Coordinates of all heavy atoms in Angstrom, one line a residue:
E70 N 105.0 93.2 92.3 CA 105.6 93.0 93.6 C 105.8 91.5 94.0 O 106.6 91.2 94.9 CB 104.7 93.6 94.7 CG 104.7 95.2 94.6 CD 103.8 95.8 95.6 OE1 103.0 95.1 96.3 OE2 104.0 97.0 95.9
K107 N 103.8 112.9 107.8 CA 103.8 112.6 106.4 C 102.4 112.2 105.8 O 102.0 112.7 104.8 CB 104.8 111.5 106.1 CG 106.3 111.9 106.3 CD 107.2 110.9 105.7 CE 107.2 109.6 106.5 NZ 107.8 109.7 107.9
S108 N 101.8 111.3 106.5 CA 100.5 110.9 106.0 C 99.4 112.0 106.0 O 98.7 112.2 105.0 CB 99.9 109.7 106.8 OG 100.8 108.6 106.7
V127 N 99.4 107.6 95.2 CA 100.3 107.6 96.3 C 100.8 106.2 96.5 O 100.1 105.2 96.7 CB 99.5 108.0 97.6 CG1 100.5 108.0 98.8 CG2 98.9 109.4 97.5
L128 N 102.2 106.1 96.4 CA 102.9 104.8 96.6 C 103.6 105.0 98.0 O 104.6 105.7 98.1 CB 103.8 104.5 95.5 CG 103.2 104.4 94.1 CD1 104.3 104.2 93.0 CD2 102.2 103.3 94.0
A129 N 103.0 104.4 99.0 CA 103.5 104.5 100.4 C 104.3 103.3 100.7 O 103.8 102.2 100.7 CB 102.4 104.7 101.3
I130 N 105.6 103.5 101.0 CA 106.5 102.4 101.4 C 106.4 102.2 102.9 O 106.8 103.1 103.7 CB 107.9 102.7 101.0 CG1 108.0 103.2 99.6 CG2 108.8 101.4 101.2 CD1 107.5 102.2 98.6
D131 N 105.9 101.1 103.4 CA 105.7 100.8 104.8 C 106.9 100.0 105.3 O 107.2 99.0 104.7 CB 104.4 100.1 105.0 CG 103.8 100.3 106.4 OD1 103.8 101.5 106.8 OD2 103.4 99.4 107.0
P132 N 107.5 100.3 106.4 CA 108.6 99.6 106.9 C 108.3 98.2 107.4 O 107.2 98.0 108.0 CB 109.1 100.4 108.1 CG 107.9 101.2 108.5 CD 107.1 101.5 107.3
S133 N 109.1 97.2 107.0 CA 108.9 95.8 107.4 C 109.8 95.6 108.7 O 110.9 96.1 108.8 CB 109.4 94.9 106.3 OG 108.5 95.0 105.2
S134 N 109.2 94.8 109.6 CA 110.0 94.4 110.8 C 111.2 93.5 110.4 O 111.0 92.6 109.6 CB 109.0 93.7 111.7 OG 109.8 93.1 112.7
S135 N 112.3 93.8 111.0 CA 113.5 93.0 110.7 C 113.4 91.6 111.5 O 114.2 90.7 111.2 CB 114.8 93.7 111.2 OG 114.7 94.0 112.5
H138 N 109.3 90.4 109.9 CA 109.2 90.7 108.5 C 107.8 91.1 108.0 O 107.5 91.1 106.9 CB 109.6 89.5 107.6 CG 111.0 89.0 107.9 ND1 112.2 89.7 107.6 CD2 111.5 87.9 108.6 CE1 113.2 89.1 108.0 NE2 112.8 88.0 108.6
G139 N 107.0 91.5 109.0 CA 105.6 91.9 108.7 C 105.6 93.4 108.6 O 106.4 94.1 109.1
S140 N 104.5 93.9 108.0 CA 104.2 95.4 107.9 C 102.8 95.7 108.2 O 101.9 94.9 108.0 CB 104.5 95.8 106.4 OG 105.9 95.7 106.1
I141 N 102.6 96.9 108.8 CA 101.2 97.3 109.2 C 100.4 97.7 108.0 O 99.2 97.4 107.9 CB 101.3 98.4 110.2 CG1 102.0 98.0 111.5 CG2 99.9 98.9 110.5 CD1 102.2 99.1 112.5
L142 N 101.0 98.4 107.0 CA 100.3 98.8 105.8 C 99.1 99.6 106.1 O 98.0 99.4 105.6 CB 99.9 97.6 104.9 CG 101.1 96.7 104.4 CD1 100.6 95.6 103.6 CD2 102.1 97.5 103.6
G143 N 99.2 100.6 107.0 CA 98.1 101.3 107.5 C 97.9 102.7 106.9 O 97.1 103.5 107.4
D144 N 98.6 103.0 105.8 CA 98.5 104.4 105.3 C 97.1 104.7 104.8 O 96.7 105.9 104.9 CB 99.5 104.5 104.1 CG 100.9 104.4 104.6 OD1 101.5 105.5 105.0 OD2 101.5 103.3 104.6
K145 N 96.4 103.7 104.3 CA 95.0 104.0 103.8 C 94.1 104.4 105.0 O 93.2 105.3 104.8 CB 94.4 102.8 103.1 CG 94.9 102.6 101.7 CD 94.1 101.5 101.0 CE 94.4 101.4 99.5 NZ 93.6 100.4 98.8
T146 N 94.3 103.9 106.1 CA 93.5 104.2 107.3 C 93.8 105.6 107.8 O 93.0 106.3 108.4 CB 93.7 103.2 108.4 OG1 95.0 103.3 108.9 CG2 93.4 101.8 108.0
R147 N 95.0 106.2 107.5 CA 95.4 107.5 107.9 C 95.0 108.6 106.8 O 95.3 109.7 107.0 CB 96.8 107.5 108.2 CG 97.2 106.7 109.4 CD 98.6 107.0 110.0 NE 99.6 106.8 109.0 CZ 100.3 105.6 109.0 NH1 100.1 104.7 109.8 NH2 101.3 105.5 108.1
M148 N 94.5 108.1 105.7 CA 94.1 109.0 104.6 C 92.7 108.8 104.2 O 92.4 108.5 103.1 CB 95.1 108.9 103.4 CG 96.5 109.0 103.7 SD 97.6 108.8 102.2 CE 99.2 108.7 103.0
R160 N 98.4 103.1 97.4 CA 98.9 101.7 97.4 C 100.1 101.6 98.4 O 101.2 102.1 98.2 CB 99.5 101.4 96.0 CG 100.2 100.0 96.0 CD 99.2 98.8 96.1 NE 99.8 97.6 96.1 CZ 99.3 96.4 95.6 NH1 98.1 96.5 95.1 NH2 100.0 95.3 95.6
P161 N 99.8 101.1 99.6 CA 100.9 100.8 100.6 C 101.6 99.5 100.2 O 100.9 98.6 99.8 CB 100.1 100.7 101.9 CG 98.7 100.3 101.6 CD 98.5 100.8 100.1
S162 N 102.9 99.5 100.3 CA 103.7 98.4 100.0 C 104.7 98.1 101.1 O 105.3 99.1 101.6 CB 104.4 98.5 98.6 OG 103.4 98.7 97.6
A163 N 104.9 96.9 101.4 CA 105.9 96.5 102.4 C 107.3 96.7 101.8 O 107.6 96.4 100.7 CB 105.7 95.1 102.9
S164 N 108.2 97.3 102.6 CA 109.6 97.5 102.2 C 110.4 96.2 102.0 O 111.3 96.2 101.2 CB 110.3 98.4 103.2 OG 110.4 97.8 104.4
G165 N 110.0 95.2 102.7 CA 110.7 93.9 102.6 C 112.2 94.1 103.1 O 112.5 94.8 104.0
D166 N 113.1 93.4 102.4 CA 114.5 93.4 102.8 C 115.3 94.3 101.9 O 116.5 94.2 101.8 CB 115.1 92.0 102.8 CG 114.9 91.3 101.4 OD1 114.4 91.9 100.5 OD2 115.4 90.1 101.3
S167 N 114.6 95.2 101.1 CA 115.4 96.0 100.1 C 116.0 97.2 100.8 O 115.7 97.5 101.9 CB 114.4 96.5 99.0 OG 113.3 97.1 99.6
L168 N 117.0 97.8 100.1 CA 117.9 98.8 100.7 C 117.1 99.9 101.3 O 116.3 100.6 100.7 CB 118.7 99.4 99.6 CG 119.6 100.6 100.0 CD1 120.6 100.2 101.1 CD2 120.3 101.2 98.8
G169 N 117.4 100.1 102.6 CA 116.8 101.3 103.3 C 115.3 101.3 103.4 O 114.7 102.3 103.8
G170 N 114.6 100.2 103.1 CA 113.2 100.2 103.3 C 112.4 100.6 102.1 O 111.2 100.9 102.1
V171 N 113.1 100.7 100.9 CA 112.3 101.0 99.7 C 111.9 99.8 99.0 O 112.7 98.9 98.7 CB 113.2 101.9 98.7 CG1 112.5 102.2 97.4 CG2 113.6 103.2 99.4
A172 N 110.6 99.6 98.6 CA 110.2 98.5 97.9 C 110.9 98.4 96.6 O 110.9 99.4 95.8 CB 108.6 98.5 97.7
R173 N 111.4 97.2 96.2 CA 112.2 97.1 95.0 C 111.4 97.4 93.7 O 111.9 97.8 92.7 CB 112.7 95.6 94.8 CG 113.7 95.2 95.9 CD 114.1 93.8 95.7 NE 112.9 92.9 95.7 CZ 112.9 91.6 95.2 NH1 114.0 91.1 94.7 NH2 111.8 90.9 95.3
T175 N 108.9 99.6 93.3 CA 108.2 100.9 93.2 C 108.4 101.6 91.8 O 107.5 102.2 91.3 CB 108.8 101.9 94.3 OG1 108.6 101.2 95.6 CG2 108.1 103.2 94.3
I192 N 105.5 109.6 96.3 CA 106.1 108.4 96.8 C 106.6 108.8 98.3 O 107.4 109.6 98.5 CB 107.3 108.0 96.0 CG1 106.9 107.7 94.6 CG2 108.0 106.7 96.6 CD1 108.1 107.4 93.7
E193 N 105.9 108.1 99.2 CA 106.2 108.4 100.6 C 107.3 107.3 101.1 O 107.0 106.1 101.0 CB 105.0 108.3 101.5 CG 105.3 108.4 103.0 CD 104.1 108.0 103.9 OE1 103.0 107.6 103.3 OE2 104.2 108.1 105.1
T194 N 108.4 107.8 101.6 CA 109.4 106.9 102.1 C 109.2 106.6 103.6 O 108.5 107.4 104.3 CB 110.8 107.4 101.9 OG1 111.1 108.3 102.9 CG2 111.0 108.0 100.5
V195 N 109.9 105.6 104.1 CA 109.8 105.3 105.5 C 110.5 106.3 106.4 O 110.4 106.3 107.6 CB 110.3 103.9 105.8 CG1 109.4 102.9 105.1 CG2 111.7 103.7 105.4
G196 N 111.4 107.1 105.8 CA 112.1 108.2 106.6 C 113.1 107.6 107.5 O 113.3 108.1 108.7
V197 N 113.9 106.7 107.1 CA 115.0 106.1 107.9 C 116.4 106.4 107.4 O 117.3 105.9 108.0 CB 114.8 104.5 108.1 CG1 113.5 104.2 108.8 CG2 114.8 103.9 106.7
S200 N 116.8 104.9 102.6 CA 115.8 104.8 101.6 C 115.7 106.0 100.7 O 115.3 105.9 99.6 CB 114.4 104.5 102.2 OG 114.0 105.6 103.1
V204 N 114.8 106.5 96.6 CA 113.6 107.3 96.1 C 114.1 108.5 95.3 O 113.5 108.8 94.3 CB 112.7 107.7 97.3 CG1 111.7 108.7 96.9 CG2 112.1 106.5 97.9

Side-chain angles (χ1 to χ4, degrees):
E70 293 179 343
K107 289 190 292 292
S108 295
V127 179
L128 301 177
I130 313 301
D131 207 45
S133 295
S134 167
S135 59
H138 304 290
S140 295
I141 297 173
L142 301 178
D144 294 273
K145 281 191 174 183
T146 64
R147 296 196 294 266
M148 303 180 194
R160 174 73 182 210
S162 298
S164 62
D166 56 359
S167 53
L168 173 64
V171 176
R173 292 179 304 165
T175 303
I192 304 174
E193 177 192 359
T194 80
V195 296
V197 295
S200 63
V204 169

